[in-house]
Amino acid sequence: MYATPHHFPHLNQERAILSQLGVDLLELKTNDPEEIGALAKDAVALFVQYTWISEATIRQLEQCQVIVRYGIGYDNVDLKSAGEQGIYVCNVPHYCGEEVADHTMSLLLAAARKLVKQNDLVKNGEWSFVDRIAVPSLSSSVLGLVGLGYISRHVVRRAQAFGMKVVAYDPWFPKDQANALQVELVDFTELCGLADFVSLHVPLNDETKYLIRKETIASLKDGAVIINTARGGLIHEEDVAEAIHSGKLGMVCLDVLEQEPPSPSHPLIGLENVILTPHSAYYSDRSLPRLQKMAAEEVERVLRGEDPKNAVNRKWYTKK
């Protein structure tokens, strides 16, 4: 089996787990789709981090049983083509829920308490702030969560600890479970009208691409804060920049961008009411080893003939 280029220090955990099956793990040095397909032609499994795995690549993977994406998102793999060729595509959705929820709340708190602006005042020799910075009370604020999945539910607990009311848009989440979480389910338009803070927790697909754009921004409360720790393509960045300039949005806090790393001319870089972090929400000293271990265990399950836990392309999957 093979791993495409990655940012891990080593793949020792994966090798230790899979060696028990008599399988070797080799590392590819190329992101070229044709080269990957040719080199991994006889691979039984493929580990992928950021490399794009296209239909053309997948058609060359004659022996492959599973492609595991190191992470939660899976928009860099052609799910349909893999499924039709009898290849499971799996992600690792539960390796960093606490970390991403912590990062989401860190961004929310920084935005609410105006920490960056206050820090800048002090650095510039100023101490008075009361008449210059409006700081909302969190206990009278509403957090709107778009998506109520694993990570989002961790955010719920954190936000409620600060006394926030939480509403959520998730058409597939059971109402009784939302009630148990003390979260009110609303439609997307209603969420936009209610929320002081909107946090995105959905995958990137055709339905969610540019979910936050000029039309939806118009339906938000004036001064609302947008937080995104999910996928950059959920937000139309030029429209958001325009809304920051006009004052329609109070602040934008993003851990993910559509193109990473961004160019120096990116429309959000340098704006006063924008916080950008370098796609770091997933990270802690424990999350990456956990990610590698869980990815290897998913491959192990498939190679043993067991059902994978986190296949994301089941609706297209056809057994070889």
Side-chain angles (χ1 to χ4, degrees):
M1 70 180 64
Y2 287 89
T4 59
H6 58 83
H7 293 163
F8 303 116
H10 55 73
L11 303 181
N12 293 346
Q13 279 197 99
E14 292 91 326
R15 288 193 172 94
I17 290 170
L18 298 169
S19 66
Q20 300 175 47
L21 301 177
V23 178
D24 293 327
L25 175 57
L26 304 176
E27 299 182 47
L28 298 171
K29 303 300 183 184
T30 179
N31 283 314
D32 181 86
E34 290 188 10
E35 291 184 20
I36 291 171
L39 292 169
K41 181 178 180 180
D42 297 326
V44 293
L46 190 65
F47 289 95
V48 176
Q49 191 171 30
Y50 302 119
T51 304
W52 166 238
I53 305 299
S54 66
E55 178 181 4
T57 303
I58 289 167
R59 294 305 175 203
Q60 297 180 72
L61 304 178
E62 297 178 356
Q63 304 300 320
C64 191
Q65 298 179 43
V66 58
I67 298 170
V68 172
R69 201 265 148 173
Y70 282 119
I72 299 171
Y74 42 83
D75 46 285
N76 60 322
V77 181
D78 189 321
L79 305 183
K80 185 173 184 290
S81 296
E84 290 174 348
Q85 191 159 311
I87 302 172
Y88 283 117
V89 178
C90 302
N91 66 341
V92 187
H94 299 146
Y95 80 97
C96 63
E98 300 282 358
E99 285 84 356
V100 178
D102 288 345
H103 202 89
T104 300
M105 281 304 299
S106 296
L107 293 173
L108 188 155
L109 291 169
R113 300 300 302 174
K114 305 296 194 295
L115 296 186
V116 174
K117 190 172 287 189
Q118 291 195 51
N119 180 62
D120 288 344
L121 285 175
V122 175
K123 286 197 297 185
N124 292 328
E126 302 179 55
W127 198 254
S128 176
F129 73 94
V130 172
D131 59 342
R132 303 177 61 181
I133 301 176
V135 177
S137 168
L138 281 184
S139 62
S140 59
S141 297
V142 177
L143 171 60
L145 297 172
V146 181
L148 200 50
Y150 176 73
I151 291 172
S152 191
R153 294 196 295 275
H154 284 299
V155 176
V156 169
R157 291 191 291 107
R158 287 157 173 76
Q160 289 173 339
F162 284 90
M164 299 185 77
K165 177 181 178 179
V166 181
V167 300
Y169 167 66
D170 191 327
W172 299 277
F173 197 80
K175 186 174 181 179
D176 60 334
Q177 293 183 33
N179 291 340
L181 293 169
Q182 298 182 344
V183 172
E184 181 184 354
L185 289 177
V186 296
D187 64 32
F188 183 68
T189 301
E190 189 176 0
L191 182 145
C192 289
L194 289 171
D196 301 290
F197 301 84
V198 176
S199 188
L200 306 180
H201 300 276
V202 291
L204 177 62
N205 54 42
D206 292 341
E207 294 179 0
T208 61
K209 177 82 168 177
Y210 297 149
L211 181 67
I212 303 299
R213 59 189 185 276
K214 187 173 296 186
E215 294 81 2
T216 50
I217 292 170
S219 65
L220 292 169
K221 277 186 174 182
D222 290 346
V225 175
I226 298 290
I227 301 165
N228 187 13
T229 53
R231 278 291 179 267
L234 300 174
I235 286 180
H236 192 290
E237 291 159 359
E238 288 78 9
D239 288 356
V240 165
E242 183 180 324
I244 286 288
H245 284 296
S246 71
K248 172 63 178 178
L249 290 177
M251 202 157 189
V252 175
C253 304
L254 308 179
D255 184 56
V256 287
L257 296 171
E258 190 165 14
Q259 297 296 325
E260 299 176 354
S263 70
S265 61
H266 191 282
L268 292 172
I269 290 179
L271 296 189
E272 182 179 7
N273 291 323
V274 173
I275 296 176
L276 302 176
T277 55
H279 203 146
S280 58
Y282 69 92
Y283 179 75
S284 74
D285 57 357
R286 295 187 178 184
S287 65
L288 289 191
R290 190 185 304 131
L291 168 61
Q292 292 181 258
K293 181 175 183 288
M294 295 173 82
E297 289 173 343
E298 188 76 310
V299 170
E300 181 185 27
R301 276 188 284 273
V302 173
L303 296 186
R304 289 188 184 277
E306 301 170 13
D307 195 45
K309 285 186 176 181
N310 301 302
V312 295
N313 67 333
R314 291 187 187 275
K315 69 177 180 179
W316 296 292
Y317 180 78
T318 303
K319 189 176 181 62
K320 290 182 179 179

